Amino acid sequence: MKHLLTLLLLFTTIIVFGQADPGDYCASDSLATSPPVSLDKSAHPFCNLGVPDIVNNCKEVYVKVNVHFFVNDDGTGLTAGNGASNQLEQRDVFQKADDLVYFANQYMEDISSNKQLNQIPWGADTTSAQCVGLRFLLDEVFIHRDSNMDLINIGGHNDQYVGINYRDAYNILAVDIRRASGYAPRQGRYMVVRSFDQQLIVHEFGHSLLLEHTHFGNSNGDDNCFDTPWYKWEYDRYGDGSVIDSKKTCWNVSNRDASGTDLCTPNGTTVINPHPCCDSSTVNNNVMTYSAAAQSGSIAALTPCQVDIAMTELLKEKCDLIAAIEPICKPVSAHIGYKPNTDFSQDCSWTFYLRGSTNETEHRISYQKLQPDGTYSPFLDSDWLPGRAREERVVVGDDPYIKHGTVRLPSNSTYIMTLTTRNNCDTDHYRVEFTTGACDVGDQDDSPNPGPFHTEEFQAYPNPSNGPITLEYGIASSAEIEIYVGSNATNSFELIADISGYKLAGSYHHQLDLSFLPNGAGTIVVVVDGYPFYKQFVKQ
Ligand SMILES: [Zn+2]
């Protein structure tokens, strides 16, 4: 009963207050169909599998996706820097790609228990809730130096990013688009989106799998489905037979006319019949609309006909993109990202971003070093580390050691870094090969490049202290923060977990309880993306 009430409230809200967002527009209809890709089906294990078995048994089908971001031609700046949406700091795109996949998958899982509404009033075939087994698995995250792609026209500039180099995964291009929220050519292998809205992502993916808008037409209309209803409204406002044929959809509309008259409440004079869209049964919840009702995973739906079309296209024409079908648990992926201006042979420090890895519960990081005889030998190897892979900050210099997640690598050497991720039933790895330059930062506490940390804001007071001590620090951009406190005499440090974690840009103040420490000299360590900063204090 509670669910029904929620639904009714939502529909009421949409009809009374809802207005279409003029930017909420998918431009796929204006694009030519993408040419089919010739596929060697014998080379891919999931080609030629039967659609009915997968659909009827609600099997999950994981599709590999790449997410592409674009920055200035010189490699600097925010993503989509010339646009007005999709702006991100470069360091944040890897987590964003992981989030995009996570929330789109959640949406597809959620809509699996939902039924297409309003089939009866509009004369469509009535069907029950349709399971949606489509899932994404993040493959690669790219940051391209290409300011032409920041802000593009509908259908523009996409070819090089969906060419041969990226054809082994489905491609999501995160840009800003003039006059549209997104588009995806029918039958194509990419979408272009200006937001990470989960319905938009699934909607555009639907176009790539031959789904059409369920906007107009009749119940067996231009989307080739009999179970997607018709939504064009006609209105005889004055009861005199003069029908307004709006050719408009019955969602995201106001219940008032231009002069403010309530069209849902007949008054015997200016409103004889209520507007057809006042009836909540007219609201469309289909993913392939722009309806506000389709935004929510708890309401949106695809129909059996639509899922059959999509799965058939996927298994017939895009089976090379499938990573797994009905795996025992969610497949994992590993990814090592870095900013486009990272120059391994020149930089004294840089960050490897590991957040584009997906579904892992453990990870490990290893480095192999190239030997004079041309072979690689183990150099550093972490144990299995619990949790998600996050960041790895590398410093180039002699005397290799690991301290608080920072890796120090000798200069003028070639390495293969391997990230391995796993969960209970799957594992993946990703490798990057690079050669360090002549840089030597030496064994010092401060780096030439403090990253986002504001060293001048870093304070601990009172000092000396006979009670708690106040820690202040600031970061210029979001960062993974770990705060340790320890005694210099025992050289043991405790992670203060409740104030550690992923933090947004800003200034932070914490009162640290020192009662667990012996009197004497101690150290506070603030680790910013794996790079440590130290503050000495005395406990009295
Ligand atoms: Zn569309």
Side-chain angles (χ1 to χ4, degrees):
M1 189 59 206
K2 185 153 180 276
H3 286 289
L4 183 62
L5 189 65
T6 311
L7 282 177
L8 289 174
L9 282 173
L10 182 82
F11 290 165
T12 306
T13 306
I14 288 162
I15 289 164
V16 175
F17 302 109
Q19 292 289 337
D21 174 355
D24 188 15
Y25 166 64
C26 161
S28 300
D29 286 342
S30 64
L31 304 176
T33 297
S34 280
V37 170
S38 76
L39 200 57
D40 175 10
K41 294 192 175 179
S42 65
H44 303 284
F46 301 113
C47 295
N48 301 316
L49 289 183
V51 174
D53 172 56
I54 288 168
V55 172
N56 296 340
N57 294 308
C58 199
K59 291 186 173 175
E60 289 184 337
V61 180
Y62 281 86
V63 177
K64 293 181 286 180
V65 293
N66 296 326
V67 184
H68 300 259
F69 296 90
F70 302 88
V71 297
N72 293 339
D73 294 337
D74 65 2
T76 64
L78 302 175
T79 65
N82 293 319
S85 61
N86 269 353
Q87 279 80 36
L88 293 169
E89 291 188 43
Q90 294 182 14
R91 63 191 316 285
D92 291 334
V93 304
F94 306 100
Q95 180 66 50
K96 195 72 184 179
D98 188 51
D99 289 347
L100 180 157
V101 165
Y102 176 84
F103 287 112
N105 283 349
Q106 191 65 52
Y107 177 85
M108 290 189 279
E109 194 175 325
D110 288 346
I111 67 174
S112 287
S113 49
N114 301 338
K115 179 185 178 320
Q116 173 68 45
L117 299 172
N118 315 321
Q119 289 167 316
I120 292 172
W122 297 102
D125 290 352
T126 54
T127 52
S128 48
Q130 174 58 51
C131 167
V132 179
L134 295 166
R135 299 289 183 271
F136 293 129
L137 178 65
L138 187 57
D139 197 39
E140 296 246 21
V141 183
F142 297 96
I143 303 177
H144 301 280
R145 292 186 181 97
D146 189 345
S147 58
N148 286 330
M149 282 296 289
D150 278 3
L151 175 63
I152 65 173
N153 293 320
I154 294 165
H157 298 296
N158 312 315
D159 295 344
Q160 61 186 303
Y161 300 107
V162 292
I164 196 75
N165 292 338
Y166 305 107
R167 208 162 260 183
D168 59 348
Y170 184 83
N171 293 283
I172 298 175
L173 280 59
V175 302
D176 196 6
I177 310 166
R178 293 183 181 91
R179 293 183 297 281
S181 304
Y183 59 84
R186 195 170 186 273
Q187 189 177 277
R189 290 180 168 231
Y190 71 95
M191 71 172 76
V192 182
V193 289
R194 105 176 153 184
S195 84
F196 300 99
D197 176 89
Q198 53 204 352
Q199 186 215 344
L200 178 67
I201 301 293
V202 176
H203 174 115
E204 299 303 345
F205 188 49
H207 285 309
S208 300
L209 299 178
L210 301 185
L211 298 188
E212 306 278 356
H213 290 142
T214 61
H215 289 177
F216 300 111
N218 53 34
S219 58
N220 62 343
D222 49 12
D223 68 347
N224 300 312
C225 283
F226 287 87
D227 55 7
T228 53
W230 183 30
Y231 289 98
K232 189 178 72 172
W233 56 264
E234 296 175 357
Y235 183 31
D236 180 3
R237 174 171 174 170
Y238 300 102
D240 58 3
S242 60
V243 174
I244 303 167
D245 181 355
S246 71
K247 297 188 169 54
K248 284 184 178 169
T249 52
C250 214
W251 22 268
N252 305 354
V253 293
S254 169
N255 68 327
R256 294 180 187 278
D257 68 7
S259 65
T261 305
D262 180 355
L263 301 178
C264 292
T265 311
N267 55 24
T269 54
T270 58
V271 181
I272 303 298
N273 293 317
H275 193 287
C277 297
C278 296
D279 182 344
S280 66
S281 72
T282 60
V283 172
N284 195 342
N285 62 330
N286 196 281
V287 173
M288 299 309 292
T289 67
Y290 314 147
S291 166
Q295 284 272 306
S296 165
S298 62
I299 299 173
L302 288 171
T303 67
C305 171
Q306 289 175 308
V307 169
D308 189 62
I309 288 174
M311 279 296 188
T312 301
E313 170 68 8
L314 181 60
L315 284 157
K316 204 175 95 192
E317 301 296 340
K318 297 182 173 65
C319 47
D320 56 321
L321 306 181
I322 298 173
I325 294 183
E326 195 66 356
I328 299 165
C329 62
K330 290 178 180 176
V332 296
S333 66
H335 187 263
I336 301 172
Y338 47 88
K339 293 179 181 177
N341 279 358
T342 303
D343 184 343
F344 301 116
S345 66
Q346 295 290 324
D347 295 351
C348 297
S349 66
W350 64 83
T351 301
F352 283 124
Y353 299 96
L354 314 179
R355 291 172 178 270
S357 307
T358 307
N359 293 332
E360 75 276 20
T361 55
E362 290 183 299
H363 66 283
R364 75 189 303 167
I365 298 162
S366 65
Y367 293 84
Q368 294 172 291
K369 189 178 176 189
L370 182 63
Q371 302 302 310
D373 66 2
T375 63
Y376 281 89
S377 62
F379 181 71
L380 290 171
D381 197 2
S382 78
D383 207 348
W384 283 104
L385 304 166
R388 308 292 304 273
R390 299 181 300 197
E391 269 94 25
E392 173 96 332
R393 188 152 174 103
V394 175
V395 177
V396 178
D398 291 331
D399 300 326
Y401 69 102
I402 299 177
K403 192 169 187 181
H404 300 302
T406 297
V407 171
R408 191 181 296 266
L409 299 175
S411 47
N412 295 315
S413 304
T414 296
Y415 302 88
I416 293 174
M417 175 196 178
T418 304
L419 170 67
T420 309
T421 56
R422 73 178 183 187
N423 62 13
N424 287 338
C425 61
D426 194 21
T427 186
D428 191 28
H429 68 267
Y430 193 101
R431 289 180 175 183
V432 173
E433 183 173 354
F434 58 92
T435 301
T436 57
C439 193
D440 184 359
V441 300
D443 186 12
Q444 56 195 27
D445 283 351
D446 55 344
S447 157
N449 173 11
F453 196 66
H454 287 148
T455 49
E456 69 283 0
E457 259 191 76
F458 187 23
Q459 293 185 58
Y461 59 86
N463 188 12
S465 173
N466 57 7
I469 195 165
T470 298
L471 164 67
E472 291 186 9
Y473 74 92
I475 45 177
S477 56
S478 51
E480 189 70 34
I481 301 292
E482 291 169 39
I483 295 173
Y484 297 84
V485 179
S487 155
N488 294 1
T490 61
N491 200 28
S492 69
F493 289 81
E494 277 205 26
L495 174 68
I496 313 299
D498 59 337
I499 55 174
S500 298
Y502 192 66
K503 304 287 182 188
L504 299 176
S507 296
Y508 293 87
H509 298 239
H510 301 294
Q511 202 166 61
L512 303 179
D513 176 12
L514 303 180
S515 60
F516 69 98
L517 292 177
N519 284 350
T523 304
I524 297 169
V525 189
V526 177
V527 183
V528 183
D529 286 341
Y531 195 85
F533 297 87
Y534 304 91
K535 190 65 77 181
Q536 306 290 330
F537 64 86
V538 174
K539 180 187 174 187
Q540 292 181 323

